[in-house]
């Protein structure tokens, strides 16, 4: 269900855990615990790209408005910066310009990006690296450019844009006839070629493309392109039916299709244009795109390079000599791996405590995005296997007292080894164990790494600073331990996968980390499902729960989600009408009679993935059937499958921690509900 989260493999430890280079920052006289207000102002690396000659790196710093300091609410903004070495970064555009899609022109003399000027549509802009102002390079009339690609000679920009405006439909809507026909009114993207010159090409030429294209790369030579296409814009199709097509740019003719059978992730084309690397599923039932493949451009034939290995490929890029570099998550850690042009593994670089999450190459320079237990994502450059840090966001983290972080491995009741990431309370767990929060990832085809683990919905170091232990389990169904491990959850909703959580609790109690009577859990999406299950079926095990965009009824979930085919193919392997009773029995609403766990339920009211009605259902069942059990439902207007706005995120973090402080830290399941409006540390917005 949820995709694209970061994480890695098992070190064969058994109930005791190995410290993996994540010792906490030494306490100083000025050290203090982390707070939700710190999370609200956190910055991190956004996008990165390396110049063709490898001499500089363009990147963005991503941040939300700091609503705790009085800034106006909004979503993430990205500021363009340029770096030539460690700690050399400088802003490259006026403050306030929010950009995305950062690239270098083929000659490296210009940085290009997507930008929406006031009262205009999103277009491609550029700024010279050696001085000069930014200017518009290419646009499509009346619609936003969604992504773009340079031709190898730098003379043309290929623009992937939205469908043309429907003037008749817009006129009806303006008159109040704004009904929406569900799943029937989506329209396809369009591709255009625009000349790059002193002025903006006023008449870009249309290029025929197959289906709904979401990504494009121009092949060396400029005559063909590699496009990622699905049958429709529906999310379900993007998950299950997206394929790589090779097209002739002059005629729009499809020359070849790489018919991978399942999910499709990162796609890259080799410098000689003969090979494509793909991170994809090995079959239609593979829960995630984690296996690295090489495909022949001429024939479309493909082969896997690491099928069945207990790992997950995250990103890949070709080197100038045709070799292939890849980030591979191995359990809760990661490595940088180099493959020969023939697909044989040549060498592997261990980044130590770093978790690698993005890879870009230019010339001989390899740049990566990496985070660690001590910091969110930063820019690193790799030289002779050494990882050198180039950026330093959030310098105030030096003043934060962080809890010790390490991997923790235990054996489940059936003998399966399970790994997770453990953050100990600042100052370590007291005798008898600490109040402990299980932070359960979504998917379940995702995993969590032994890197930075604190965010608006992830208690992490905020909880550690308040005396909690936090455990982030890579339970059955997770990636980075091999496709077979990911498939262990299939056809078994809430079965072995959530038994793993209870077994993890017992292992942490035995290890002296957790207090058996004060273990709670939280999570979003499938992690919200886990929280709902732990608060009903396993209510005796968990003292408090915070459920986010979670599932409570597997029958109605199927009828209200935007990924029904993905649910069938990657998860349950049966349709609901084949197992009505089983699906109901594996739904939290069925077990509300057991619900004694105080449960805070939060959801975006515009979530298309897991309908907010899932939260309504569980709330109503508990409220009516178990009126003595504390339960609250909080809805975030306009938010979807996760909160995007700064105020929604900060509010969520404060509410989550307040709920755990009320019910988990105290161990008092009967405590009265906290007030509906938490105290927020916010300054009044400044007047213009």
């Amino acid at each position: 269900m949820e995709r694209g989260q970061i994480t890695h493999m098992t070190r064969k430890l058994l109930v005791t855990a190995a410290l993996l280079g994540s010792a906490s920052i030494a306490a100083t006289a000025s050290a203090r615990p982390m707070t939700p207000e710190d999370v609200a102002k956190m910055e991190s690396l956004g996008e990165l790209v390396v110049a063709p000659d490898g001499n500089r790196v363009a990147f963005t710093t991503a941040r939300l408005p700091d609503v705790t300091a009085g800034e106006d609410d909004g979503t993430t903004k990205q500021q363009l910066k340029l770096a030539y070495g460690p700690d050399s970064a400088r802003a490259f555009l006026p403050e306030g310009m929010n950009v995305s899609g950062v690239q270098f022109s083929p000659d490296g003399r210009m940085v290009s990006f997507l930008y929406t000027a006031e009262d205009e549509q999103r277009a491609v802009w550029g700024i010279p690296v050696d001085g000069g102002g930014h200017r518009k390079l290419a646009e499509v009339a009346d619609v936003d450019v969604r992504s773009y690609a340079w031709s190898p000679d730098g003379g043309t920009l290929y623009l992937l844009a939205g469908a043309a405006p429907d003037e008749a439909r817009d006129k009806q809507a303006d008159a109040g006839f704004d009904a929406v026909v569900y799943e029937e009114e989506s329209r396809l993207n369009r591709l255009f070629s625009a000349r790059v010159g002193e002025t903006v090409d006023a008449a870009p030429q249309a290029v025929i493309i197959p289906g709904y294209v979401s990504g494009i790369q121009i092949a060396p030579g400029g005559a063909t392109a590699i496009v990622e296409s699905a049958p429709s814009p529906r999310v379900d199709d993007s998950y299950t039916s997206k394929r790589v097509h090779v097209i002739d740019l002059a005629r729009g003719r499809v020359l070849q299709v790489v018919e991978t059978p399942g999910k499709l992730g990162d796609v890259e084309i080799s410098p000689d244009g003969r090979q494509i690397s793909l991170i994809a599923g090995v079959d239609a039932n593979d829960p995630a795109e984690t296996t690295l493949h090489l495909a022949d451009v001429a024939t479309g034939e493909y082969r896997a390079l690491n099928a069945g290995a207990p790992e997950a490929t995250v990103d890949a890029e070709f080197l100038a000599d045709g070799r292939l570099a890849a980030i591979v998550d191995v359990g809760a850690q990661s490595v940088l791996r180099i493959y020969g042009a023939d697909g044989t593994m040549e060498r592997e670089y261990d980044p130590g405590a770093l978790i690698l999450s993005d890879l870009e190459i230019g010339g001989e320079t390899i740049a990566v995005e990496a985070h660690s237990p001590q910091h969110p994502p930063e820019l690193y450059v790799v030289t002779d296997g050494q990882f050198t840090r180039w950026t330093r966001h959030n310098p105030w983290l030096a003043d934060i007292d962080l809890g010790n972080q390490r991997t923790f491995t235990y054996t489940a009741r059936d003998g399966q080894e399970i790994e997770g990431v453990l953050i100990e309370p600042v100052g370590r767990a007291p005798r008898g164990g600490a109040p402990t929060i299980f932070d359960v990832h979504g998917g379940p085809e995702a995993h969590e790494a032994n890197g930075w683990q604190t965010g608006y919905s992830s208690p992490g170091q905020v909880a550690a600073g308040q005396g909690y232990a936090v455990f982030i389990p890579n339970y059955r169904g997770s990636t980075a331990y091999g496709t077979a491990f990911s498939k262990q959850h299939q056809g078994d909703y809430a079965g072995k996968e959530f038994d793993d959580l209870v077994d993890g609790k017992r292992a942490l109690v035995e290890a002296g980390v957790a207090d058996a009577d004060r273990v709670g859990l939280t999570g979003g999406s499938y992690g919200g499902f886990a929280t709902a299950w732990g608060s009903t079926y396993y209510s005796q095990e968990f003292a408090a729960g915070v459920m986010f965009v979670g599932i409570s009824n597997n029958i109605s979930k199927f009828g209200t989600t935007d990924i029904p085919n993905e649910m069938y193919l990657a998860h349950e392997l049966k349709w609901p009408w084949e197992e009505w009773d089983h699906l109901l029995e594996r739904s939290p609403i069925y077990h509300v009679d057991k619900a004694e766990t105080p449960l805070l339920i939060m959801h975006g009211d515009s979530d298309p993935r897991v309908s907010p009605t899932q939260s309504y259902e569980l709330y109503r069942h508990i409220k009516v059937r178990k009126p003595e059990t504390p339960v609250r439902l909080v809805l975030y207007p306009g938010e979807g499958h996760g909160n995007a706005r700064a105020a929604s995120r900060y509010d969520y973090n404060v509410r989550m921690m307040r709920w755990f402080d009320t019910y988990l830290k105290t161990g008092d399941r009967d405590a009265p509900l906290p007030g509906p409006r938490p105290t927020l540390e916010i300054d009044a917005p400044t007047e213009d």
Side-chain angles (χ1 to χ4, degrees):
M1 289 170 58
E2 284 187 356
R3 299 152 53 112
Q5 298 184 16
I6 331 168
T7 322
H8 325 346
M9 176 188 165
T10 180
R11 294 295 193 260
K12 309 294 181 186
L13 295 182
L14 292 183
V15 183
T16 57
L19 180 64
L20 293 175
S22 58
S24 61
I25 293 177
T28 65
S30 61
R32 61 175 179 81
M34 183 172 280
T35 67
E37 291 70 42
D38 292 322
V39 176
K41 69 180 181 182
M42 195 167 294
E43 297 181 343
S44 70
L45 184 70
E47 302 178 10
L48 69 138
V49 62
V50 184
D53 62 5
N55 287 336
R56 56 182 72 88
V57 178
F59 67 95
T60 60
T61 291
R63 67 180 297 271
L64 284 155
D66 184 359
V67 291
T68 70
E71 295 182 16
D72 291 337
D73 188 26
T75 56
T76 300
K77 302 293 189 295
Q78 297 190 89
Q79 183 181 22
L80 178 64
K81 297 182 179 181
L82 208 63
Y84 294 83
D87 303 317
S88 67
R90 63 184 179 91
F92 216 60
L93 288 170
E95 187 176 358
M97 284 188 68
N98 177 31
V99 306
S100 62
V102 178
Q103 300 183 32
F104 277 96
S105 59
D107 62 7
R109 297 171 62 186
M110 180 177 290
V111 179
S112 58
F113 50 90
L114 293 173
Y115 172 62
T116 306
E118 188 174 0
D119 298 325
E120 294 187 20
Q121 303 294 139
R122 188 187 305 119
V124 181
W125 292 64
I127 182 170
V129 297
D130 293 326
H134 58 280
R135 66 181 180 90
K136 188 186 296 182
L137 301 179
E139 64 181 348
V140 177
D142 301 321
V143 296
D144 286 339
V145 175
R146 296 182 174 180
S147 64
Y148 68 97
W150 286 90
S151 64
D153 64 5
T156 303
L157 278 166
Y158 289 89
L159 314 173
L160 191 62
D166 186 337
E167 295 182 2
R169 182 71 180 85
D170 292 343
K171 184 177 180 181
Q172 288 180 342
D174 290 341
F177 298 93
D178 54 0
V180 175
V181 182
Y182 184 58
E183 289 190 344
E184 292 186 33
E185 295 191 294
S186 298
R187 302 169 67 203
L188 302 180
N189 287 333
R190 299 173 295 161
L191 182 64
F192 295 88
S193 65
R195 291 176 288 101
V196 180
E198 294 299 318
T199 60
V200 175
D201 188 344
Q205 299 299 302
V207 178
I208 299 172
I209 50 177
Y212 182 75
V213 172
S214 56
I216 177 171
Q217 298 177 54
I218 310 303
T224 60
I226 308 301
V227 301
E228 299 164 45
S229 178
S232 81
R234 289 194 291 271
V235 174
D236 214 12
D237 279 344
S238 74
Y239 277 19
T240 64
S241 304
K242 185 164 62 175
R243 304 291 179 260
V244 171
H245 295 64
V246 182
I247 65 169
D248 178 343
L249 286 169
R251 289 178 258 180
R253 185 164 57 95
V254 175
L255 303 175
Q256 195 54 260
V257 180
V258 183
E259 296 281 5
T260 47
K263 293 183 177 180
L264 180 66
D266 179 67
V267 177
E268 305 292 342
I269 188 164
S270 63
D272 62 8
R274 295 180 179 180
Q275 291 197 99
I276 300 170
S277 76
L278 311 94
I279 301 175
V282 297
D283 56 45
N285 302 119
D286 192 337
E289 63 283 20
T290 58
T291 300
L292 184 61
H293 296 73
L294 282 178
D296 185 275
V297 170
T299 66
E301 295 179 357
Y302 62 92
R303 58 192 174 93
L305 302 187
N306 60 340
E311 59 190 37
T313 312
V314 174
D315 196 12
E317 289 282 338
F318 281 99
L319 294 157
D321 60 8
R323 292 181 299 156
L324 184 65
I327 293 173
V328 181
D329 287 345
V330 186
Q333 302 303 130
S334 64
V335 297
L336 177 63
R337 187 176 294 165
I338 307 297
Y339 290 90
D342 62 355
T344 57
M345 191 179 81
E346 292 188 350
R347 65 182 311 169
E348 200 169 82
Y349 298 107
D350 182 353
L354 295 176
I355 303 300
L356 313 180
S357 53
D358 189 20
L359 169 67
E360 296 292 336
I361 295 174
E364 299 298 318
T365 299
I366 299 175
V368 296
E369 176 185 88
H371 57 105
S372 80
Q374 282 80 40
H375 62 76
E378 298 283 5
L379 169 62
Y380 285 76
V381 169
V382 186
T383 305
D384 297 327
Q386 300 299 309
F387 293 75
T388 302
R389 185 170 172 176
W390 276 30
T391 58
R392 297 185 183 276
H393 299 90
N394 311 302
W396 50 267
L397 278 172
D399 299 326
I400 301 297
D401 200 358
L402 300 179
N404 182 59
Q405 183 171 317
R406 54 192 172 104
T407 57
F408 182 91
T409 304
Y410 61 94
T411 303
R413 63 191 69 179
D414 63 354
Q416 175 66 56
E417 205 168 71
I418 305 295
E419 183 183 46
V421 177
L422 174 63
I423 305 174
E424 297 179 348
V426 172
R428 298 192 179 267
R431 184 180 299 274
T436 299
I437 302 170
F438 273 57
D439 183 5
V440 187
H441 68 70
E445 67 279 18
H447 61 279
E448 294 298 336
N450 189 24
W452 187 251
Q453 285 292 349
T454 306
Y456 81 94
S457 63
S458 300
Q461 293 291 348
V462 172
Q466 296 182 25
Y468 295 92
V470 178
F471 185 58
I472 306 135
N474 286 327
Y475 56 101
R476 259 171 276 210
S478 300
T479 53
Y481 301 88
T483 301
F485 186 87
S486 297
K487 287 185 173 183
Q488 282 195 49
H489 104 106
Q490 291 179 330
D492 191 24
Y493 282 147
K496 294 184 292 294
E497 57 190 9
F498 296 163
D499 292 345
D500 289 345
L501 306 183
V502 174
D503 294 342
K505 172 197 167 179
R506 292 170 181 167
L508 288 167
V509 170
E510 183 180 347
V513 173
D515 177 345
D517 295 325
R518 294 188 296 162
V519 176
L521 72 173
T522 187
S525 193
Y526 212 87
F529 179 25
T531 302
W533 189 256
S535 300
T536 54
Y537 181 85
Y538 271 132
S539 184
Q540 292 304 307
E541 299 285 351
F542 296 104
V546 177
M547 170 186 174
F548 189 34
V549 295
I551 302 155
S552 69
N553 182 343
N554 279 309
I555 294 175
S556 60
K557 195 264 184 178
F558 177 85
T560 55
T561 187
D562 59 358
I563 52 169
N565 287 297
E566 197 264 357
M567 284 180 62
Y568 167 75
L569 288 169
H571 300 290
E572 191 60 5
L573 309 181
K574 289 184 179 180
W575 298 107
W577 47 90
E578 298 179 78
E579 51 170 4
W580 293 119
D581 290 345
H582 175 73
L583 282 185
L584 182 59
E585 291 169 5
R586 294 300 179 92
S587 297
I589 59 165
Y590 187 78
H591 300 281
V592 164
D593 62 313
K594 308 178 187 72
E596 297 178 356
T597 301
L599 180 62
L600 174 61
I601 306 169
M602 295 191 274
H603 215 127
D605 75 355
S606 301
D607 186 351
R609 187 72 25 80
V610 177
S611 170
T613 56
Q614 291 289 304
S615 288
Y616 281 113
E617 286 193 47
L618 186 56
Y619 170 80
R620 184 61 66 208
H621 278 271
I622 295 175
K623 197 74 174 173
V624 172
R625 191 171 185 184
K626 299 284 287 188
E628 69 279 9
T629 298
V631 63
R632 170 170 288 158
L633 172 60
V634 177
L635 297 171
Y636 289 99
E639 297 288 9
H641 198 56
N643 291 350
R645 294 186 297 106
S648 298
R649 290 188 171 196
Y650 174 50
D651 181 270
Y652 183 100
N653 198 317
V654 171
R655 288 182 185 276
M656 172 178 64
M657 294 311 306
R658 187 177 63 153
W659 192 265
F660 284 134
D661 287 347
T662 301
Y663 295 107
L664 182 58
K665 183 176 284 187
T666 63
D668 183 3
R669 296 189 182 210
D670 299 320
L673 281 170
R677 296 292 172 185
T679 301
L680 302 174
E681 300 295 330
I682 55 175
D683 293 331
T686 56
E687 296 291 335
D688 291 334

